[in-house]
């Protein structure tokens, strides 16, 4: 459930009409709902309630500091994968003890940053990384809490570009070698083993791959304890899928996920960590865009929008489906046409939807892309020199710009002409 519904014929974010936000900030823009973010966080944390746990929001899905603050203020931890994400989590007021540092290629500088600022745990993905962290922590005279990310070798049957849990993927350490690597970790200075980490994949719409992976994790935990390691935390990663269409998708309910976690891992007495991104913020955001032109007369009819692949990359990159709805509700029985919905970027890949049934929209009409709160703004670029689009947060009947649209001046000011090309004053 989200809080983007029609009221009096206008699509609202909570109690604010998207049309009013568009009039104030211009289009395109992203808009997030505080109530939806809160609800999704709460559902997940409640689902795990019988177990000691921490929900660490995957910052990669939406890293706006205001969004992080909504979640951080509710008690969420954060899962970060770069120094930049770590800084964002801290800027949102999240203490280091609630931040886990994941990612396959942490640099020594990023390790120093997190160790210096405080960190709950590093999820280690390779032996060289483990040695480097041991070196950095020893140099700083502190102990780095670590979990090793093991690759469960489970095929989650998700999109090829977001598959992570198969042995041929670049992530984690082979589960078969985990005991040897833990033994090695225990001998290295500056490291303190706190648990085991795993991530199965993203946009999983079935609990079976999670259960297969967590069953392997339970066996590994018992074996590691028998080897003498203290395993107090299990980080289960993220990956719970969301419905991208209103009709035919039924991803698992958080409560069913929580019950499964308890059944498979509950008797181990570990603190459970999860790293959900999409489930918390995906359906808490929309992207609003305006029709520039309706182009007819050729083989196809096109709706050309002022948003493009640089603003929302998912359709171009993963052939992802986003529901696209008119901001002014269409009347029952209103005529529709099959249109290709495209952006202005000079690539055929800049296509959001093909042959989509839409009302007969005209220049100036607004549309909203649903389910755009995760992996939307964070994956945007300025390709074709299109400035990043603004982000807006709604709470009840209030809205605020949480990232402003840069002007052309700001965009140009980042480039510098080398001195050798600058004209000398006479
Ligand atoms: N933890 C780790 C270690 C991850 O790699 C990811 C996502 C997550 C947590 C959060 O997964 P989530 O709960 O959001 O599924 N850009 C793609 C998704 C890439 C996911 C990468 N890793 C998309 O737009 O679908």
């Amino acid at each position: 459930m989200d809080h983007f519904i029609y009221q009096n014929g206008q699509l609202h974010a909570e109690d604010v009409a998207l049309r009013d936000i568009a009039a104030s900030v211009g289009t395109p823009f992203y808009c997030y709902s505080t109530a939806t973010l809160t609800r999704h966080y709460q559902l997940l944390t409640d689902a795990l309630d019988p177990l000691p746990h921490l929900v660490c929001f995957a910052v990669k899905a939406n890293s706006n500091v205001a969004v992080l603050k909504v979640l951080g203020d509710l008690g969420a931890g954060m899962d970060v994968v770069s120094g930049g994400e770590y800084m964002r989590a801290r800027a949102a007021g999240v203490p280091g003890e609630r931040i886990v540092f994941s990612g396959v290629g942490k640099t020594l500088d990023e390790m120093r940053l997190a160790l210096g600022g405080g960190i709950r745990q590093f999820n280690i993905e390779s032996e060289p990384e483990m040695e480097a962290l041991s070196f950095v922590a020893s140099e700083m005279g502190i102990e780095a809490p670590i979990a090793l990310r093991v690759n469960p070798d489970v095929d989650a049957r998700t999109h090829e570009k977001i598959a992570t849990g198969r042995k041929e993927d670049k992530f984690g350490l082979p589960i078969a070698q985990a005991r040897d690597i833990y033994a090695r970790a225990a001998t290295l200075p500056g490291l303190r083993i706190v648990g085991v980490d795993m991530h199965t994949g993203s946009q999983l719409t079935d609990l079976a791959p999670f259960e297969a992976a967590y069953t392997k994790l339970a066996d590994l935990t018992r074996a590691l304890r028998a080897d003498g390691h203290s395993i107090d935390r299990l980080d289960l990663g993220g990956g719970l899928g969301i419905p991208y269409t209103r009709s035919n998708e039924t991803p698992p309910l958080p409560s069913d996920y929580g019950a499964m976690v308890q059944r498979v891992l509950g008797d181990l007495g570990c603190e459970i960590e999860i790293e959900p991104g999409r489930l918390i913020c995906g359906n808490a955001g929309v992207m609003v865009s305006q029709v520039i032109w309706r182009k007819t007369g050729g083989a196809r009819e096109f709706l050309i929008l002022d948003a493009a692949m640089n603003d929302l990359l998912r359709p171009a990159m993963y052939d992802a489906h986003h529901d696209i709805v008119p901001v002014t509700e269409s009347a029952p029985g209103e005529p529709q046409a099959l249109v290709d919905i495209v952006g202005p970027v000079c690539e055929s890949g800049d296509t959001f939807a093909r042959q989509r049934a839409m009302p007969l929209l005209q220049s100036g009409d607004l549309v909203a892309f649903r389910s755009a709160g995760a992996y939307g703004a964070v994956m945007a670029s300025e390709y074709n020199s299109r400035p990043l689009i603004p982000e807006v947060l709604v709470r009840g009947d209030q809205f605020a710009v949480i990232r402003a649209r840069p002007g052309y001046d700001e965009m140009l000011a980042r480039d510098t002409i080398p001195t050798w090309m600058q004209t000398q004053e006479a």
Side-chain angles (χ1 to χ4, degrees), residues 58 60-61 79 81 102 125 149 162 164 171 199 201-203 237-240 244 275-279 314 318 374-375 379:
K60 62 170 78 70
D79 165 49
V81 292
S102 302
E125 298 224 14
R149 174 169 173 184
I162 54 174
T164 52
F171 300 97
H199 173 70
S202 197
Q203 186 51 19
L240 272 173
Y244 275 96
E275 303 169 352
R278 196 188 313 262
L279 187 96
R314 303 192 70 259
Y318 314 114
Y375 307 109
M379 291 177 74

Side-chain angles (χ1 to χ4, degrees), residues 84 132 149 157 178 191 196 264 335 363 365 369 373:
R149 174 169 173 184
R157 293 182 298 278
L191 302 182
V196 190
V264 179
S363 297
D365 286 343
F369 287 69

